[in-house]
Amino acid sequence: MKAFRTVAVALLAAAALQSADAKVRLPQVISDCMVIRRDAPVKVWGWADPGEKVTVRFDGKHWFTQAGDDGRWSVAMDPHPAGGPYLLEVNEKIIRDVLVGDVWLLSGQSNQETPVERLVDRYPEIPVSNNHMVRMYKVPTSDRPGEPQADIPQGERWHSAISSDVMNWKALAYFYAMEAYEKTGVPQGMMVSSLGGSRIESWIPEDRLLAFPQIARMKEEALASENAAADRGQLEGWHREDYDDSLWDSVMEPAYLSESGIERGVVWFRKEIDVPQSMDGRHARILMGRLVDGDEVYVNGTLVGSTSYFGPPRKYDIPAGVLHEGRNVVAVRLTANAGDAGFVPDKPYRIVADEAEIDLTGSWKYRVGRTAARRQPGAFPGAPRRGFTGAGLFNGMVNPLKDYSFCGVIWYQGESNASEAAAYEGLLRALVESWREFFSSPDLPVLICQLPNYMDKYDHPTDSDWARLREAQLKVFRSTPRTGLVVGYDTGEYNDIHPLNKKDLAKRLFLWTRQLCYGEKVVASGPVYEGMKIEGDRIVLSFSSTGGGLRSRDGALRHFAIAGEDGRFVWADAVIKGNTVVVSSPEVPYPVAVRYAWADNPDEANLINREGLLASPFRTDERGYEPNNVRMNYTN
């Protein structure tokens, strides 16, 4: 009996100790330096042992709750004005340096997550930034098809815009936060949930996504065949320094695969170089320009860097001890699925050291390790060739944020869907509607960044995937309340899908914030095409959002094209008459249609309103796609 009492006492003591040690767990984003939304109910949530009592304290107030049977708990704090810093206490946990202000969710692909580090030459104010009242959190990548997640992965934190921390920021988030804080004095929180190269399908909840029959069919096909052919290069070690590539074909680089006659898929490239004694064993950097799509770069068999998607400059460190005097080998494994994959011309390809550099342009050896899988008839255009990734990024990078309160969403995506503009309109509308439903905010503002100018210009009117994608974005903006469209075909670069000018884009975004969120009577949009009237040999175009009136940004209006019944577009004369534009051409006596800024790179288009905001590209016809010998390079 005594022994029994001893064991019972020990068990009770252990249980008491376990109870005393039990701690609440908070989601990753509820952490030091966070920003919570002002003037709105704010949820604080987390997990604990079932039934555990939880107390939340903030700025002199407190709230009681307890964990449910599933271990989850939450409280809704009262609305709080902008200010801070404050402490947020959850039982024994203390979250420090909390600000209350405006909080935005920024999502999309790589232009949304372009790092500020890449912009410091253009904007020297970035490295000396000293603003602790704006904060950013970058949600770590988590692609979880079919598996909605309760929390995001560990490893990130909130960053402020002081000089010791600002290099962790994303460029658009930084410039928007700085613009908003300068104009309002209200703390700004930027939650960036984006992934370079991602398609819009990955960001839409699966139930909404599978309402599209082609996508539902794609999932069925993916589930039926999960395995893709193996890459011979990986199996046979084509990255090794001593691999014999003497039977490989040669090609001159940089060049697009289509120009070199190389089949898409996984393509390996190898180049022998002669390393001088001054570089022997020393650290160096390899600049591989820009590669489309993903790459792995090896030097003498050592992986020195990789990027999973098209766009960012490839600048990789070669560790000390890798290079040696004499013959060395650079190998590149290129995952080439884009319509125009390859080594992008007019970019630097070289190895740079302190006392010497080696040119990497010229002759390379190549071999295809795996050919691109053929799309099955009826499959969704542009869909991934294997597996089903639809909704995966929503599950892993948006679903865990359900209870965070946002002022609105800034969406910058479309490059990876540019070949399916007709489908994109429905997908973008589904994203806006589903996110508003998901966040229980039917009036949630959604600001859409229209694709910038990119790729070559042409001396004749063309049709364009990018123009059609911009049109899809425009249609969603026009038909969906409380959305804003930021036009930026003057902010891009012809040879870089990641333009550096995110500052002007941020200023235009903030105009929409002033209108949609702050209720200010401010002009946020450039002219938007409304209708046309044919008057003999002329077409008269009418517009909304003319602000103080239509203007030309510089000189005569440019980038208007006109066509007759034959559908052949030619450059047109365009003249502003009041709040209309009159378009004509002596080559088209009986016009039926007009297009404006209808190209990949229409940066010379110059129709604005008096407030200086660009007119969105548009067309008055609904013709199908007309290639006009245009090279399409649209995958990000």
Side-chain angles (χ1 to χ4, degrees):
M1 190 67 176
K2 182 178 180 181
F4 174 80
R5 285 198 299 269
T6 302
V7 171
V9 169
L11 290 174
L12 289 172
L17 181 62
Q18 183 179 14
S19 177
D21 288 343
K23 293 183 179 180
V24 296
R25 181 167 68 86
L26 296 173
Q28 296 297 312
V29 294
I30 297 183
S31 53
D32 291 349
C33 297
M34 68 183 294
V35 183
I36 60 177
R37 187 179 171 190
R38 62 173 169 142
D39 302 326
V42 170
K43 277 191 177 181
V44 178
W45 76 97
W47 302 268
D49 291 336
E52 182 175 349
K53 291 180 168 54
V54 178
T55 302
V56 176
R57 305 177 185 89
F58 185 76
D59 194 24
K61 294 185 178 181
H62 62 270
W63 297 263
F64 295 139
T65 189
Q66 68 181 45
D69 292 340
D70 60 355
R72 197 177 190 281
W73 58 266
S74 69
V75 301
M77 299 197 307
D78 298 338
H80 195 289
Y86 299 100
L87 296 179
L88 171 65
E89 299 179 65
V90 181
N91 284 9
E92 74 285 349
K93 291 185 176 294
I94 301 177
I95 309 303
R96 304 179 186 279
D97 195 12
V98 177
L99 299 180
V100 183
D102 292 338
V103 185
W104 286 84
L105 176 60
L106 288 71
S107 190
Q109 58 184 112
S110 50
N111 266 306
Q112 187 67 273
E113 58 178 21
T114 301
V116 294
E117 182 181 12
R118 201 179 301 166
L119 279 63
V120 294
D121 290 339
R122 178 170 180 149
Y123 302 103
E125 69 268 25
I126 293 174
V128 293
S129 175
N130 191 33
N131 191 336
H132 193 54
M133 301 303 285
V134 299
R135 314 280 175 83
M136 184 210 74
Y137 192 104
K138 174 62 177 75
V139 176
T141 298
S142 178
D143 190 355
R144 304 297 292 268
E147 301 178 37
Q149 299 297 295
D151 201 2
I152 61 176
Q154 298 179 6
E156 255 299 350
R157 62 179 177 85
W158 286 89
H159 301 279
S160 69
I162 59 175
S163 57
S164 61
D165 206 12
V166 71
M167 288 305 170
N168 292 296
W169 277 68
K170 305 305 177 183
L172 185 59
Y174 171 79
F175 283 119
Y176 178 87
M178 296 295 279
E179 174 75 8
Y181 182 75
E182 178 185 343
K183 294 296 193 298
T184 66
V186 172
Q188 300 291 316
M190 305 285 108
M191 184 79 71
V192 182
S193 183
S194 60
L195 179 63
S198 60
R199 296 170 56 85
I200 191 172
E201 295 93 324
S202 291
W203 295 103
I204 299 173
E206 186 166 312
D207 59 339
R208 294 296 295 267
L209 192 61
L210 295 182
F212 294 86
Q214 288 177 299
I215 299 181
R217 184 164 59 249
M218 183 189 80
K219 180 178 181 181
E220 292 175 0
E221 293 171 353
L223 293 175
S225 178
E226 288 287 342
N227 297 321
D231 171 17
R232 284 184 57 198
Q234 289 182 318
L235 296 176
E236 300 174 10
W238 292 357
H239 66 289
R240 299 197 320 264
E241 180 182 2
D242 60 355
Y243 181 81
D244 181 7
D245 59 16
S246 59
L247 298 180
W248 287 24
D249 294 322
S250 297
V251 64
M252 299 299 291
E253 296 294 353
Y256 296 107
L257 267 60
S258 58
E259 295 174 345
S260 303
I262 302 175
E263 191 171 4
R264 288 182 293 147
V266 175
V267 187
W268 286 79
F269 298 85
R270 290 171 58 92
K271 185 178 181 65
E272 291 187 9
I273 58 173
D274 185 48
V275 171
Q277 192 277 332
S278 65
M279 294 174 112
D280 182 48
R282 299 195 177 279
H283 168 269
R285 299 201 82 196
I286 184 168
L287 310 181
M288 287 302 300
R290 287 172 55 231
L291 301 171
V292 184
D293 305 327
D295 66 274
E296 297 172 5
V297 176
Y298 299 84
V299 178
N300 294 332
T302 298
L303 178 66
V304 297
S306 65
T307 303
S308 63
Y309 60 94
F310 164 45
R314 271 53 168 180
K315 299 179 181 180
Y316 303 137
D317 289 301
I318 303 176
V322 172
L323 292 173
H324 54 78
E325 185 177 3
R327 176 189 177 275
N328 292 245
V329 175
V330 177
V332 176
R333 180 180 185 265
L334 185 70
T335 303
N337 292 320
D340 223 346
F343 290 49
V344 176
D346 300 325
K347 293 293 181 180
Y349 295 86
R350 59 181 179 267
I351 294 177
V352 180
D354 294 307
E355 297 182 358
E357 67 177 50
I358 299 171
D359 183 16
L360 296 179
T361 63
S363 180
W364 286 67
K365 297 289 190 69
Y366 79 91
R367 176 168 286 183
V368 177
R370 185 183 74 216
T371 57
R374 307 298 183 190
R375 182 183 297 128
Q376 297 299 315
F380 192 70
R385 301 306 196 271
R386 58 175 176 143
F388 179 73
T389 61
L393 299 179
F394 175 86
N395 289 340
M397 300 173 68
V398 178
N399 191 77
L401 308 177
K402 179 178 178 63
D403 287 328
Y404 216 92
S405 183
F406 297 104
C407 301
V409 172
I410 297 175
W411 176 254
Y412 194 164
Q413 193 276 342
E415 299 93 332
S416 288
N417 289 85
S419 61
E420 306 100 42
Y424 192 85
E425 179 186 348
L427 290 168
L428 180 55
R429 186 171 288 109
L431 181 139
V432 173
E433 293 172 353
S434 63
W435 282 28
R436 286 174 170 172
E437 180 180 348
F438 176 76
F439 287 114
S440 302
S441 179
D443 295 325
L444 183 72
V446 178
L447 311 185
I448 303 165
C449 297
Q450 200 176 57
L451 289 186
N453 51 303
Y454 175 55
M455 294 181 283
D456 294 334
K457 299 179 188 178
Y458 293 87
D459 60 4
H460 58 277
T462 67
D463 206 342
S464 155
D465 281 353
W466 279 49
R468 288 175 179 260
L469 198 287
R470 295 186 192 107
E471 179 185 53
Q473 295 170 318
L474 173 66
K475 287 181 176 180
V476 173
F477 157 66
R478 294 189 61 179
S479 61
T480 309
R482 292 189 63 76
T483 58
L485 182 71
V486 176
V487 178
Y489 54 77
D490 61 336
T491 63
E493 300 172 29
Y494 88 93
N495 62 352
D496 196 336
I497 201 170
H498 300 134
L500 301 182
N501 186 4
K502 298 294 192 288
K503 191 172 187 177
D504 286 340
L505 203 64
K507 290 179 179 292
R508 296 170 195 178
L509 282 165
F510 185 66
L511 289 174
W512 279 111
T513 299
R514 292 174 61 190
Q515 184 185 107
L516 295 178
C517 299
Y518 304 158
E520 297 182 29
K521 293 182 178 180
V522 60
V523 176
S525 171
V528 175
Y529 167 73
E530 285 293 328
M532 60 168 274
K533 180 169 59 174
I534 300 174
E535 295 184 351
D537 61 353
R538 307 180 305 165
I539 292 181
V540 180
L541 306 171
S542 58
F543 297 85
S544 60
S545 300
T546 55
L550 297 178
R551 298 286 189 276
S552 165
R553 185 173 56 183
D554 52 353
L557 291 179
R558 296 187 298 272
H559 238 290
F560 282 86
I562 195 167
E565 288 288 354
D566 61 1
R568 186 179 71 88
F569 282 87
V570 300
W571 293 129
D573 298 319
V575 180
I576 296 171
K577 298 290 185 182
N579 277 336
T580 67
V581 174
V582 181
V583 185
S584 63
S585 169
E587 297 182 49
V588 185
Y590 304 104
V592 299
V594 169
R595 291 177 177 178
Y596 168 72
W598 198 260
D600 297 323
N601 188 357
D603 68 337
E604 295 178 350
N606 58 351
L607 178 62
I608 60 175
N609 53 24
R610 187 173 182 180
E611 289 72 18
L613 299 173
L614 288 166
S616 177
F618 67 88
R619 59 176 175 157
T620 68
D621 64 291
E622 292 291 337
R623 295 177 182 271
Y625 186 73
E626 304 149 16
N628 282 339
N629 299 316
V630 180
R631 179 202 298 139
M632 292 302 160
N633 184 351
Y634 44 70
T635 303
N636 189 1

